Structures are given as C-alpha cells and as structure tokens.
Amino acid sequence: MWKEQFFRLTLTTLFRLSKGCEIHGTDSGQCTYRYLPETYQNETEKQARNIAQSLWACEDGDDCMPYCGKYIAAYYPVCVPQTSFLSRDQNFPQGRFLSHTTREKDRWVEESAIAMIEERISIETNRTARKLGVDEYGNKGRTKVRFHKNKACQESYKKFACWLNFPRCDGEESLPMCQSVCENFFRVCGHEEDLWMCDDLIDNTDLSASVKRDPSHIFPGA
C-alpha cells in the first residue's frame, strides 16, 4: 500500500521539460524569482536575505510558503501555482484553480509528507507482523526499516516532496529534478537500486557550490 502510494506520487510529480511553467502536467504554474535574495540587488546582502525570507516564511497570504520555503526558496527560482484562476472556457465554465495558491499547495505538501512518514513508521513498527514473522506484504521475513528512528531519511523525504511539487524553473520552462538529487534520497532511505526512479533526469552543478553536503541534504543542482 505504502509503496503504491509513494511511487504513484513519484511518477505523477517528476517533471519533464515543457513549453511553460507546469505543475503536474497542467498550465497552472508561474515561474517566480521573488524568494531569491539575489533578486534584490539594490539591497545589502542581509537586507536582501531578510526581504526574500519575509515573502515565504509568512503564514497568512496566498504567496506564503512556510513549509517548503525553508528547503527551496533561497536556492532556485520556483514554479508556483498561479495566484489568480484561469479564465473560463468551454470545458471549464467557472474557470480553474480559484483556490490553487502557493500557500494551499505548501500546506498540502506538508500534510501529505507528514502523513506518508507516519504511515511508513507505523508499517515498520507493526508488532503483529513481527510476531508472525512476515513483512508488510505478508511474505515471510521482516519489513525493511527506512523511516523509523532515521531522521536523515525523514528529512530527505520532506525535501524530496517539496522539490517534486515546487519544481525549478527557468523563465517559463519547468525543469526536472537533478538525477543525483533524486538518487541521494533513495540512497539515504536505503532503497534498493532497482527501485530508484531517477532515470532521464538532468544533472546540474551550478547550484551546489554554496550548499554543504550532508546525508539528509538533497538540493537542486547536486
């Protein structure tokens, strides 16, 4: 059950190069540089950092991104939901994405990531399965422990979920996650290589220089 949900999330949110800033394959996104400190070049470094942080660290506002912002906002321009709904047409007489804001998307990612981690820990610590000597699928053996008491894996999954759902962008193009970033998540959480779904992603070293590597730190441009 968990693997089906996890890989469905992975398959539906790995982004390919597109003609516009897209989220989940739809034309519902816009590329923004507002969370990047370097956008505010007329300010001092500290002021620019504070201005950028104030735009994503807020709680009440359509453009706030308090959960995923701490993982992505200072590192790359991000594709976020359009704040205004798309115009009416024959297929959508009421318009589209009226409440599809950055804040709502950020809240959904947070709730989904936490729920997924809690579900996985529940599976890994199931006493009945241990007593019966079976894994999560009912086969003889033990469930692989990935998230339980593994803060590095839990943190990596949160970041992975944010980067999947708020992809990098370049002008009006959505960019896929770097292959090395993707692989690092699966490695930290102990997934066998045949389960890694990281093929056909790009690799880019431009964004990695200022970010210190550690086992739980997946970042764009690894």
Side-chain angles (χ1 to χ4, degrees), residues 7-149:
F7 288 122
R8 190 181 302 120
L9 172 68
T10 303
L11 285 170
T12 56
T13 52
L14 283 174
F15 299 97
R16 298 180 179 179
L17 288 171
S18 63
K19 293 183 179 179
C21 178
E22 298 187 357
I23 297 179
H24 288 215
T26 72
D27 55 347
S28 61
Q30 59 184 357
C31 190
T32 181
Y33 292 75
R34 69 195 309 267
Y35 306 117
L36 288 172
E38 53 263 39
T39 300
Y40 309 98
Q41 297 181 359
N42 294 329
E43 308 293 339
T44 66
E45 182 178 347
K46 182 178 180 180
Q47 289 174 329
R49 187 167 56 249
N50 290 339
I51 291 173
Q53 182 172 340
S54 70
L55 296 176
W56 63 259
C58 49
E59 291 287 342
D60 301 315
D62 288 348
D63 296 322
C64 296
M65 193 195 299
Y67 183 71
C68 287
K70 57 182 177 288
Y71 299 133
I72 65 177
Y75 300 126
Y76 63 80
V78 58
C79 185
V80 299
Q82 294 187 30
T83 54
S84 59
F85 72 97
L86 300 185
S87 59
R88 301 173 177 83
D89 58 30
Q90 183 177 354
N91 296 320
F92 300 91
Q94 301 303 318
R96 290 182 283 169
F97 313 114
L98 185 59
S99 62
H100 190 46
T101 64
T102 299
R103 183 67 186 96
E104 288 302 312
K105 182 66 176 290
D106 186 68
R107 184 179 288 110
W108 176 84
V109 174
E110 179 179 12
E111 293 173 352
S112 300
I114 291 174
M116 189 72 72
I117 291 171
E118 290 177 346
E119 180 181 354
R120 182 63 200 178
I121 292 175
S122 177
I123 292 172
E124 294 174 359
T125 57
N126 188 292
R127 293 184 179 180
T128 301
R130 287 189 178 185
K131 185 176 181 180
L132 295 174
V134 296
D135 63 15
E136 60 199 281
Y137 306 108
N139 300 319
K140 186 176 181 179
R142 299 192 65 175
T143 297
K144 176 73 173 180
V145 176
R146 306 185 193 281
F147 286 79
H148 181 51
K149 294 185 178 180

Side-chain angles (χ1 to χ4, degrees), residues 200-216:
D200 300 323
L201 300 182
I202 65 171
D203 208 354
N204 186 325
T205 58
D206 293 343
L207 297 174
S208 64
S210 62
V211 183
K212 183 178 180 181
R213 287 181 182 269
D214 66 67
S216 68

